Amino acid sequence: MLEFRDMKIEEADLVVKIEEECFCAPWKKQDFVDMAEKDNMAYVVALLDNEIIGGAGIRNIAGDGEITNVAITEKHRGNGYSELLLDALIEKGRSLGCSAFTLEVRVSNVAARKCYLRKGFIESGIRPGFYEHPKEDAMIMWLY
């Protein structure tokens, strides 16, 4: 059974491992702890049969929900879990007072971009050289 809930601080080490699997420049444990402790932020985890298989973070910045990351373990990709996690994250963002949502994604990450487009996000611009390791542009996306 797939479920979503706020990350518990003691789960930060597990979330870091998923982050390291998914990203070239992964966040550190303290980054996730901060997300769990601050009132304007949240980190939602996806659990499949009580095992954390992914997570996503959001920050409320003046009413805009900045989606910081969305990560699903490699062995669980391709099952629609990212879209369901994104739904849970947006719901969480609305509870934090967010009315619009934004994110950056590597221009080469076609699967993620298609997922965001299916959820109603629009591509609204490029941040040149935004990513390191390797250097790459970011597509800026918004959901209103």
Side-chain angles (χ1 to χ4, degrees):
M1 183 172 118
L2 187 65
E3 61 183 310
F4 305 95
R5 64 163 167 75
D6 289 353
M7 180 194 75
K8 298 173 185 171
I9 291 174
E10 59 269 18
E11 296 169 327
D13 288 322
L14 295 170
V15 173
V16 166
K17 288 180 183 174
I18 295 169
E19 179 89 355
E20 290 171 346
E21 178 185 318
C22 296
F23 299 110
C24 300
W27 280 15
K28 305 295 183 222
K29 179 179 179 179
Q30 189 59 49
D31 298 318
F32 294 103
V33 170
D34 289 346
M35 294 289 288
E37 290 181 333
K38 295 187 178 168
D39 291 340
N40 69 321
M41 301 180 190
Y43 196 84
V44 175
V45 291
L47 297 101
L48 183 63
D49 299 325
N50 295 315
E51 174 192 351
I52 295 176
I53 63 160
I58 191 162
R59 296 181 201 149
N60 180 341
I61 301 174
D64 290 336
E66 178 197 22
I67 297 174
T68 59
N69 49 11
V70 177
I72 296 287
T73 58
E74 188 172 352
K75 75 177 188 176
H76 293 99
R77 291 181 197 152
N79 296 306
Y81 298 151
S82 294
E83 289 188 40
L84 296 171
L85 175 58
L86 196 55
D87 289 339
L89 185 67
I90 289 169
E91 183 178 318
K92 182 65 178 185
R94 292 194 195 288
S95 77
L96 293 173
C98 301
S99 57
F101 300 87
T102 188
L103 56 84
E104 291 99 1
V105 60
R106 285 182 180 272
V107 294
S108 66
N109 192 342
V110 175
R113 288 172 59 191
K114 285 181 179 180
C115 172
Y116 299 134
L117 289 168
R118 281 191 302 273
K119 299 314 283 178
F121 282 79
I122 58 169
E123 296 180 337
S124 62
I126 298 284
R127 289 195 201 283
F130 182 78
Y131 290 104
E132 302 287 332
H133 314 294
K135 191 79 161 172
E136 187 173 357
D137 295 347
M139 175 62 67
I140 303 164
M141 301 184 79
W142 279 91
L143 175 68
Y144 297 101

